[in-house]
Amino acid sequence: MFFYLIRRVLYAIPIALAVGFVCFMLVQIAPGDPINAIVPPDAPQELVDQVKRDYGLDQPLPVQFGLWLMKVVQGDLGRSLATGRPVWSDLSSAIGNTLLLAAAASLIGFIIGSVLGGLAGTFRGTWIDKLAVTSAVAGVSIPHYWLGMVLVVIFSVQLNWLPAMGAGPGGSADWAWDWEHLQHLVLPAVTLSVIPMGIVTRTVRGIVAEIMNQEFVTALRGKGLTRWGVFLHVVKNAAPNVLAVMGLQLGYLMGGSILVETVFSWPGTGLLLNSAIFQRDLPILQGTILVLAMFFVALNLFVDLVQTALDPRIKRA
Amino acid sequence: MSLRRMLLAALPLATLAFAGSAQAQGTIRIGMTAADIPLTHGQPDQGFEGNRFTGIPLYDALTAWDLSRADRPSTVIPSLAERWESDANDRTRWVFHLRRGARFHDGSEFNADAVVWNVRKVLDREAPHFDPRQVGVTATRMPTLRRAEKIDDHTVALFTSEPDSLLPINLTNLFMASPTHWEALRQRHPNAEATWNAFAATPSGTGPFRLTRFVPRERAEMTRNDNYWGERARAERIVLLPIPEANARTAALLSNQVDWIEAPAPDAVPQLRARNMQIHQNPQPHVWPWQPCFLESSPLRDVRVRRAINLGIDREGLRTLLGGFMQPALGTYPAGHPWAGSPSFQIRTDKAEARRLLAEAGYGPNRPLTLRVQISASGSGQMQPLPMNEFLQQDLRSIGVNVEFDVIEWNALFTNWRNGCGHASARGAHAINVSFSAMDPFFSLVRFYDSKMAAPTSNNWGMFNDPRFDRLVSEARNAFDPAERDAALSRLHAAGVDEALFIWIAHDVGPRAMSPRVRGHVQPQSWFVDLRLPSIQ
């Protein structure tokens, strides 16, 4: 297991390099110019040239990439072109906020998806099954930014029950676990949870249905176990696969909430990426994507290890 | 538990929540369109929204825009400089007489040393406090300023690269930061860059508000400066919140999370009005045009064609399309503006005259005119470029003009704007649709009409070259008496309208919506607002 862990950590290095390189090149081939983050496009050419020299943007691309890489290796993600603030200071607070949102959405999606999937798998072919499958299809099909806007219209604008935007009355910097702050989390978390809810529902339904048809379940019933007792055995057998799916969903939510965070002005990595894209803020883009990719790799590794712990039949060596 | 019971149970919670978030009296919460708090070190980014919210409230410049009236164009007035004059013996030298008694938020005195220090921060690369990040957003707005010299504690001389009567207007963009506060921070930080970052977190200007809380990307809180040298602000506190998405801003206002939003979603205006929200608008010094190409291959080289297009547009129809949120543009400056002049060519909707002019130029049913226009699908200041351009395409068909669009990404379009219409990036376009600010005559007239400004030097994208206009530009820049300068600019503008050097289409009206509790707001004919004026009940 130890060598497996080391090997997986080493695998992350070429992934990080590839992600960094692809991200760097994507920004270069995108329309516009990163210098627009610093000087207006109507600036005199000599000023543009001077600022490019100041920021090293006049260097050949391989040199720029190499310089960035050397700094990253030393733990320095650079500074935002637009604000001059260290990338890490903006990124660390954004990651915390996104992690909070993603965890809340995952929890909602996981609980509802597991319940719906479990019921659907247990009562296959009944109206419960059809209802759960319809919910799952709706969950993965409805554009979540649209759902977010609808929820805002209903619960913020019409009913005035929940806030429409932000991460707390004073911003995320003074986050507290009280209702005054938690209410800001409700709508974005519910919005973001619909896709994992749909995916988990379908996954759990399939796995539960498959397990329910296995001989050991018949044997359990034959031994006289109650329905609840059988259900616990089914859950234990389904858990590793469901966990793997949920782990991946958490990873997707970390990087895939750009639209939802923008709709709710939630100050996470999605909103950070959104503004960085529009401002061509290269260091913020590269740093954020790199860290999110590494998070995804780490999450995969974590899920693998938990799967192994839950199901000794799965060997990692 | 029934749904009804659940809802009843939730109501007290919701009530408690709102009681907890009730705002202190005198706090105005503003939802900005920017995705981040504009820079607070004294030279804001985020375009003029930055100047509006973290420039003018926190800092003062030597000169300022008069934002106290809504019924007339905003003009330049004294601020930290009480008066100024150009040196009659050396027109590249200006003398500014500074206001006495103005103090920075840290308590230090504003004086001539502070002016020299602030000029050096963006123009002197050898200065210990030089900040390259501030150069980009500042130097472009003061293209001829070169250096400053102290004459005495309250008098300073500024030098330009060439005679330039527009300098006092340009100087509204150079905000005065406190040298004393910066030097104190410098003792605790390793270099100038780190010091400026620290300065941005605890800025010190002379403005009517001081920054009291700053959460990057989330909020900035400004508290009234009770020691302000001028009229004090009425509101005790201003909270700035970046909410880039228009629907989110609108929802935030409707759900009482903010009291004021910039640029509400146009579709939501009836709903905002139904909820008694105030909608403010006033023409801004902003132009949404088609800028013609004047090369041999362009049909817009012919003044008759340019005039025909200007006459063929139904601007009132376009205004209806935009729900009233535009002002028809009949030139860069509207009639009555000090720089509008008296053009002989009256821009209006006259399709018969447009057809006649096109026929005179050789275009008609047997030889239709086809125009290719480079446009964007979005962009800062671009209003709603797709529906607006599609309206024009349909409208101009009625005078026999076929319009084809080359839709490209906004930043790419902006980059192309500097390349000129002869460049490959123009892809044969006969016009380009890039909106611009018309606050400063350099940016509204000079950079388009002066042949020296032809791309790639500046934004004379159409490569317009006419010695008569070069002379008019020179006259304007060399008219140092304000009345003479205004007269020269009027002649330049009127000549531009007569030659139909643009297809003028719309002025933005800077819509903003606010709670009925906000009182005293004045919506000037400007990109900026005076945050000293509003209060909240």
Side-chain angles (χ1 to χ4, degrees):
Chain A
M1 177 59 80
F2 176 74
F3 290 107
Y4 170 75
L5 195 65
I6 295 294
R7 203 167 67 235
R8 287 293 298 268
V9 171
L10 289 176
Y11 283 166
I13 294 172
I15 293 173
L17 281 171
V19 166
F21 181 73
V22 169
C23 176
F24 180 81
M25 290 314 295
L26 280 177
V27 175
Q28 298 301 327
I29 62 176
D33 191 335
I35 202 74
N36 289 349
I38 316 166
V39 292
D42 50 7
Q45 193 57 43
E46 59 267 30
L47 178 62
V48 172
D49 294 341
Q50 184 59 56
V51 175
K52 277 188 174 178
R53 278 195 293 278
D54 288 339
Y55 281 82
L57 295 171
D58 60 332
Q59 301 285 326
L61 290 183
V63 174
Q64 286 186 46
F65 183 67
L67 290 173
W68 174 76
L69 205 58
M70 278 174 59
K71 284 186 175 175
V72 170
V73 169
Q74 296 167 45
D76 178 7
L77 291 175
R79 287 180 178 274
S80 159
L81 284 180
T83 67
R85 291 192 296 266
V87 171
W88 180 247
S89 79
D90 276 15
L91 188 53
S92 54
S93 64
I95 285 175
N97 295 331
T98 293
L99 198 55
L100 177 66
L101 177 59
S106 299
L107 195 65
I108 296 169
F110 182 75
I111 292 171
I112 298 178
S114 298
V115 170
L116 286 178
L119 288 171
T122 307
F123 302 102
R124 251 189 348 154
T126 65
W127 66 269
I128 296 175
D129 182 22
K130 285 171 186 162
L131 185 69
V133 170
T134 306
S135 305
V137 171
V140 294
S141 308
I142 292 175
H144 49 15
Y145 57 89
W146 176 84
L147 177 67
M149 288 182 191
V150 170
L151 292 177
V152 164
V153 168
I154 296 171
F155 293 99
S156 303
V157 175
Q158 298 298 334
L159 298 174
N160 255 354
W161 284 2
L162 293 164
M165 47 75 62
S172 67
D174 54 4
W175 176 265
W177 293 95
D178 54 21
W179 175 243
E180 200 176 2
H181 291 81
L182 284 171
Q183 61 176 337
H184 286 258
L185 187 59
V186 176
L187 291 184
V190 168
T191 304
L192 207 54
S193 72
V194 292
I195 290 179
M197 183 272 288
I199 291 171
V200 170
T201 300
R202 288 199 305 194
T203 306
V204 172
R205 176 184 178 272
I207 294 170
V208 167
E210 187 187 328
I211 294 171
M212 292 292 278
N213 286 331
Q214 288 184 8
E215 288 179 350
F216 83 92
V217 175
T218 312
L220 290 173
R221 284 185 183 137
K223 283 177 69 179
L225 245 66
T226 60
R227 176 171 279 197
W228 176 246
V230 173
F231 180 71
L232 286 180
H233 280 276
V234 172
V235 167
K236 194 175 176 189
N237 278 274
N241 287 333
V242 176
L243 201 70
V245 171
M246 203 54 238
L248 289 175
Q249 286 304 307
L250 182 63
Y252 287 132
L253 292 183
M254 281 297 293
S257 54
I258 289 182
L259 293 175
V260 173
E261 288 190 0
T262 303
V263 165
F264 290 99
S265 290
W266 184 266
T269 51
L271 196 59
L272 184 65
L273 277 174
N274 185 23
S275 60
I277 289 166
F278 280 107
Q279 289 188 293
R280 300 292 189 281
D281 199 333
L282 198 64
I284 291 272
L285 271 177
Q286 286 174 267
T288 306
I289 294 176
L290 180 69
V291 169
L292 288 179
M294 288 302 95
F295 181 84
F296 205 84
V297 170
L299 197 67
N300 269 331
L301 179 58
F302 176 75
V303 169
D304 277 359
L305 296 177
V306 173
Q307 265 188 316
T308 312
L310 281 176
D311 187 349
R313 291 172 299 180
I314 302 171
K315 297 286 182 204
R316 308 285 189 201
Chain B
M1 187 183 279
S2 71
L3 179 64
R4 183 183 159 82
R5 283 186 179 177
M6 282 172 66
L7 292 178
L8 286 173
L11 271 175
L13 278 176
T15 311
L16 276 175
F18 280 104
S21 63
Q23 295 298 303
Q25 194 178 7
T27 298
I28 301 177
R29 301 160 298 172
I30 300 177
M32 302 182 293
T33 66
D36 195 355
I37 307 293
L39 291 170
T40 53
H41 54 30
Q43 299 303 142
D45 61 344
Q46 311 278 357
F48 279 155
E49 189 170 34
N51 280 21
R52 187 184 309 146
F53 289 125
T54 62
I56 295 169
L58 296 174
Y59 297 89
D60 292 303
L62 292 179
T63 57
W65 294 102
D66 180 3
L67 305 171
S68 63
R69 298 271 297 266
D71 58 351
R72 64 183 183 198
S74 182
T75 52
V76 168
I77 55 171
S79 181
L80 287 176
E82 290 181 315
R83 59 194 167 85
W84 53 87
E85 67 263 349
S86 162
D87 186 336
N89 298 318
D90 176 4
R91 288 301 188 186
T92 64
R93 182 174 182 268
W94 289 77
V95 177
F96 284 78
H97 303 273
L98 307 182
R99 184 174 300 281
R100 292 163 192 262
R103 290 193 171 274
F104 290 104
H105 299 155
D106 58 276
S108 60
E109 187 191 7
F110 167 75
N111 54 26
D113 290 322
V115 177
V116 174
W117 189 90
N118 275 281
V119 170
R120 292 184 73 202
K121 78 182 175 187
V122 286
L123 293 180
D124 182 1
R125 305 187 72 80
E126 304 304 317
H129 58 290
F130 176 77
D131 186 7
R133 285 175 301 163
Q134 298 186 47
V135 174
V137 290
T138 312
T140 56
R141 295 176 184 164
M142 318 177 300
T144 58
L145 181 64
R146 288 297 173 265
R147 63 189 175 88
E149 259 180 31
K150 175 182 175 181
I151 296 173
D152 61 41
D153 277 354
H154 300 287
T155 316
V156 69
L158 300 187
F159 295 86
T160 55
S161 57
E162 59 187 287
D164 185 3
S165 68
L166 309 182
L167 182 72
I169 301 170
N170 299 160
L171 287 175
T172 57
N173 295 298
L174 180 64
F175 293 108
M176 296 293 145
S178 167
T180 307
H181 183 55
W182 192 91
E183 296 296 346
L185 290 171
R186 180 68 182 87
Q187 306 298 319
R188 304 198 293 272
H189 293 88
N191 52 41
E193 187 183 17
T195 307
W196 276 115
N197 285 339
F199 191 94
T202 58
S204 178
T206 58
F209 289 91
R210 58 178 75 209
L211 190 74
T212 44
R213 185 161 185 246
F214 178 72
V215 183
R217 303 191 306 114
E218 290 188 56
R219 64 196 287 128
E221 296 180 8
M222 304 186 294
T223 304
R224 183 172 61 209
N225 174 13
D226 287 327
N227 298 317
Y228 187 54
W229 56 266
E231 185 186 333
R232 288 193 310 153
R234 292 172 192 159
E236 290 168 12
R237 205 159 64 110
I238 302 283
V239 178
L240 302 173
L241 302 159
I243 314 177
E245 214 281 315
N247 289 306
R249 277 197 304 281
T250 306
L253 178 63
L254 287 169
S255 61
N256 191 33
Q257 276 191 275
V258 296
D259 309 300
W260 160 331
I261 57 169
E262 299 289 286
D267 296 348
V269 169
Q271 189 186 8
L272 289 165
R273 287 204 166 107
R275 297 273 286 266
N276 295 323
M277 298 296 171
Q278 309 170 57
I279 307 293
H280 292 275
Q281 58 167 310
N282 211 351
Q284 285 186 333
H286 163 277
V287 181
W288 193 95
W290 284 357
Q291 184 178 354
C293 177
F294 295 90
L295 296 181
E296 287 288 348
S297 57
S298 169
L300 293 175
R301 185 178 171 83
D302 187 332
V303 66
R304 293 168 299 186
V305 177
R306 298 196 299 273
R307 286 182 172 173
I309 307 291
N310 269 300
L311 295 174
I313 293 172
D314 175 13
R315 293 173 182 81
E316 284 302 328
L318 187 60
R319 173 147 67 176
T320 304
L321 175 79
L322 294 178
F325 288 123
M326 69 156 259
Q327 176 80 12
L330 310 179
T332 293
Y333 294 106
H337 190 283
W339 303 329
S342 307
S344 55
F345 173 55
Q346 297 298 311
I347 295 178
R348 61 197 184 278
T349 302
D350 186 343
K351 289 185 185 282
E353 176 65 4
R355 285 190 204 95
R356 191 192 69 74
L357 283 168
L358 284 174
E360 198 178 301
Y363 296 101
N366 297 327
R367 190 188 170 222
L369 170 63
T370 298
L371 288 181
R372 185 174 170 81
V373 186
Q374 273 200 331
I375 66 170
S376 64
S378 63
S380 171
Q382 289 291 83
M383 301 174 74
Q384 297 187 51
L386 281 184
M388 288 172 76
N389 277 304
E390 283 167 0
F391 176 91
L392 295 172
Q393 185 181 46
Q394 190 177 348
D395 189 32
L396 289 175
R397 214 170 277 150
S398 65
I399 60 165
V401 177
N402 297 320
V403 180
E404 295 172 358
F405 293 124
D406 180 16
V407 187
I408 52 181
E409 198 270 341
W410 166 236
N411 278 290
L413 186 77
F414 230 122
T415 305
N416 292 358
W417 200 30
R418 281 297 294 272
N419 291 332
C421 65
H423 190 267
S425 64
R427 299 197 280 207
H430 304 129
I432 191 166
N433 173 219
V434 178
S435 58
F436 60 86
S437 159
M439 291 193 74
D440 179 323
F442 177 82
F443 292 100
S444 61
L445 301 171
V446 174
R447 64 174 167 165
F448 302 125
Y449 297 171
D450 190 338
S451 63
K452 294 196 293 292
M453 297 293 154
T457 302
S458 190
N459 296 110
N460 182 353
W461 177 85
M463 314 303 282
F464 177 68
N465 187 342
D466 184 335
R468 182 166 71 100
F469 277 83
D470 292 348
R471 272 198 309 278
L472 286 168
V473 167
S474 177
E475 281 172 24
R477 295 186 92 164
N478 284 282
F480 289 91
D481 174 74
E484 276 178 31
R485 182 198 64 201
D486 288 353
L489 288 169
S490 299
R491 288 194 295 275
L492 176 62
H493 177 257
V497 174
D498 286 343
E499 288 296 320
L501 295 184
F502 275 93
I503 313 297
W504 285 278
I505 299 161
H507 299 297
D508 199 356
V509 292
R512 48 178 60 98
M514 42 189 90
S515 157
R517 297 188 305 125
V518 176
R519 299 294 169 90
H521 166 67
V522 173
Q523 177 100 357
Q525 295 177 29
S526 170
W527 289 73
F528 309 127
V529 292
D530 189 342
L531 289 180
R532 290 178 302 165
L533 302 178
S535 60
I536 190 161
Q537 289 186 328

